[in-house]
DNA sequence: ATGAAACTCCCCATATATAGCGAGGTTGCG
DNA sequence: CGCAACCTCGCTATATATGGGGAGTTTCAT
């Protein structure tokens, strides 16, 4: 039992390209004997990366019809921390049911299990298994494999992040303590005058920090600088 | 091996109060024979919840000295997706080293392993094991238990979220699409004029969105509103 | 010990954001 | 149908932030 997981993980570790990740997903599908395995991903700029075994037709249709905006799976996972079996979701709205029928017509199975995965900078990914099974068999399958799937999903996300992070991860600038404190005060809603009072410095001095922080962060204005500092994890509100 | 994990998880499942969670952490400490086990948690408004086996003195000192702002563990985990062993982190700065010494003086072990966990609405939690071991033994320990620890950390976070969700989960306001788009543009560094152009609306209309978003978010100014929207996970840069 | 980076202070002119007023069309739910 | 919430637009005046100068002390790492 555990050996299977280790095998799958070592295959994953060995992946060196995005194509390898695609192959890993296909291997997972065959291993678990399900219809589809999918991983997809939204980064901080709204770019998307997806890999999986859905047909190109379904992926195109999904994007074309903007199902992303009404898919109960996306919506449900965005609001919760725990993995979700699709039948638990709210399919009552008409567009959602139409989408569901459309999905069945495009070769998707009637059962799904999706794990939400969150990373730094608002990264959000979904790791999904889709199958054709009865409710009972599916529940059994999930019960047996949920732990492994969670590990797999997270390891997969780690790999995917490694590929995507190449360019911009090293560019997190380092702010001085006073600069960080200034950003922090502003993020908490203080005006310059209040922040200066809080830090026991003149408003002019505070401004120097804000400006230098802005330059380091490559920000256009104060709001932008605070936003970048926040989403880089430099400060916490 | 796996039975142990199941035992720990069933104890966790049975937890019905925050005190039970505290007891679970103490059980984990004893089970893994480490110095400390800690879970702590930051929500979008900056409220904190913590449980664990650190001494009250150390917790007080940590908060009093504002170590949260310079702790390489916090900083490192906020920027990464994967768990981290403390020795991998950057302890070169003087304040960080002083904190480290201070921690040792307060009964912490020389090794640590912290798992960052992210949930909905910008929730961010840390699950930590702390021990006194040589580098080699610690690496071995982590290698043997990292999978289980990840499961445990996530299950613990799930439990903690269940308890905390009663009060403030409904307090994340819902912004209208235009309000979200406005916040998003500002977070990307656009001026009001640029954002208005981007959204094809007058600058005045944009201002209405910003103001209503500000009110909904309970923010003092635009920067504050964007900061809250970001750390609540309402928008991403 | 020497230099780089951080910390601190000041002035002036302009750009930008905020606060207050008001008003009409559209969408969606009960 | 009506109400609520959303989306859209305009004006005026004040408060606040930004951009451009310059200059001295302290702190820390090599």
């Amino acid at each position: 039992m555990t050996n299977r997981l280790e095998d799958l993980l070592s295959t994953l570790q060995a992946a060196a390209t995005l194509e390898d990740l695609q192959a890993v997903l296909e291997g997972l599908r065959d291993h678990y004997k399900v219809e589809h395995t999918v991983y997809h991903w939204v980064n901080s700029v709204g770019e998307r990366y997806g890999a999986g075994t859905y047909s190109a037709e379904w992926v195109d249709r999904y994007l074309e019809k903007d199902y992303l905006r009404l898919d109960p799976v996306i919506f449900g996972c965005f609001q919760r921390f725990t993995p979700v079996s699709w039948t638990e979701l709210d399919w009552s709205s008409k567009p959602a049911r139409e989408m569901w029928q459309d999905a069945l017509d495009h070769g998707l199975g009637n059962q799904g299990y999706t794990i939400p995965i969150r990373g730094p900078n608002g990264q959000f990914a979904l790791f999904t298994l889709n199958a054709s099974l009865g409710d009972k068999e599916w529940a059994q399958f999930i019960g047996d494999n949920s732990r492994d799937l969670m590990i797999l999903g997270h390891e997969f996300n780690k790999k995917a992040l490694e590929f995507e992070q190449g360019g911009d991860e090293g560019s997190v600038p380092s702010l001085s303590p006073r600069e960080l404190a200034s950003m922090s005060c502003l993020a908490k809603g203080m005006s310059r005058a209040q922040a200066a009072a809080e830090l026991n410095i003149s408003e002019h001095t505070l401004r120097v920090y804000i400006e230098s922080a802005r330059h380091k962060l490559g920000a256009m204005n104060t709001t932008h600088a605070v936003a970048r500092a926040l989403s880089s994890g430099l400060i916490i509100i």
Side-chain angles (χ1 to χ4, degrees), chain A:
Chain A
M1 186 81 112
T2 52
N3 277 338
R4 288 190 199 167
L5 175 61
E6 294 305 326
D7 288 349
L8 291 167
L9 284 172
S10 60
T11 316
L12 182 55
Q13 296 302 337
T17 66
L18 291 176
E19 286 73 30
D20 290 345
L21 287 184
Q22 174 70 30
V24 167
L25 286 174
E26 289 167 11
L28 278 175
R29 175 196 55 189
D30 299 340
H31 172 79
Y32 282 116
K33 298 184 176 57
V34 291
E35 298 289 324
H36 295 290
T37 50
V38 183
Y39 167 86
H40 63 119
W41 182 93
V42 181
N43 80 356
S44 51
V45 211
E47 293 162 1
R48 296 186 175 83
Y49 160 70
T53 64
Y54 285 158
S55 70
E57 289 75 29
W58 173 239
V59 173
D60 288 345
R61 187 166 183 84
Y62 191 93
L63 295 174
E64 178 210 327
K65 287 257 185 179
D66 209 18
Y67 281 153
L68 199 68
R69 305 249 166 239
L70 58 91
D71 188 340
V73 176
I74 304 284
F75 193 68
C77 285
F78 213 84
Q79 293 193 101
R80 69 170 67 207
F81 174 69
T82 50
V84 61
S85 192
W86 291 0
T87 47
E88 302 164 17
L89 294 167
D90 174 26
W91 295 91
S92 61
S93 86
K94 198 180 168 190
R97 273 181 284 113
E98 286 171 357
M99 190 199 92
W100 177 245
Q101 188 56 52
D102 204 8
L104 293 179
D105 294 343
H106 280 83
L108 268 74
N110 62 326
Q111 299 286 356
Y113 186 72
T114 297
I115 304 174
I117 303 171
R118 290 178 177 80
N121 307 326
Q123 188 237 355
F124 181 65
L126 296 172
F127 186 73
T128 296
L129 258 65
N130 173 265
S132 287
L133 278 178
D135 285 354
K136 213 168 174 180
E137 291 80 8
W138 184 242
Q140 174 75 35
F141 176 82
I142 295 305
D144 291 344
N145 295 289
S146 62
R147 302 271 152 68
D148 289 1
L149 291 175
M150 182 169 162
I151 298 286
L152 281 166
H154 280 251
E155 290 293 327
F156 198 99
N157 189 52
K158 180 178 157 190
K159 264 290 174 188
L161 275 184
E162 281 172 22
F163 291 135
E164 296 292 326
Q165 263 175 358
D168 63 332
E169 192 61 10
S171 69
V172 176
S174 74
L175 301 191
S176 77
R178 286 309 235 184
E179 287 163 352
L180 287 174
S182 303
M183 290 290 105
S184 215
C185 287
L186 297 177
K188 285 175 188 155
M190 298 181 203
S191 70
R192 279 184 177 183
Q194 290 172 314
E198 171 77 18
L199 300 175
N200 286 311
I201 54 178
S202 75
E203 198 172 327
H204 297 267
T205 303
L206 176 76
R207 217 186 65 190
V208 175
Y209 297 141
I210 298 172
E211 301 250 316
S212 65
R214 221 178 47 217
H215 287 138
K216 285 184 181 176
L217 291 160
M220 305 297 292
N221 52 46
T222 302
T223 299
H224 194 199
V226 170
R228 288 203 161 176
L230 267 176
S231 70
S232 307
L234 290 167
I235 58 170
I236 308 177
I237 293 190

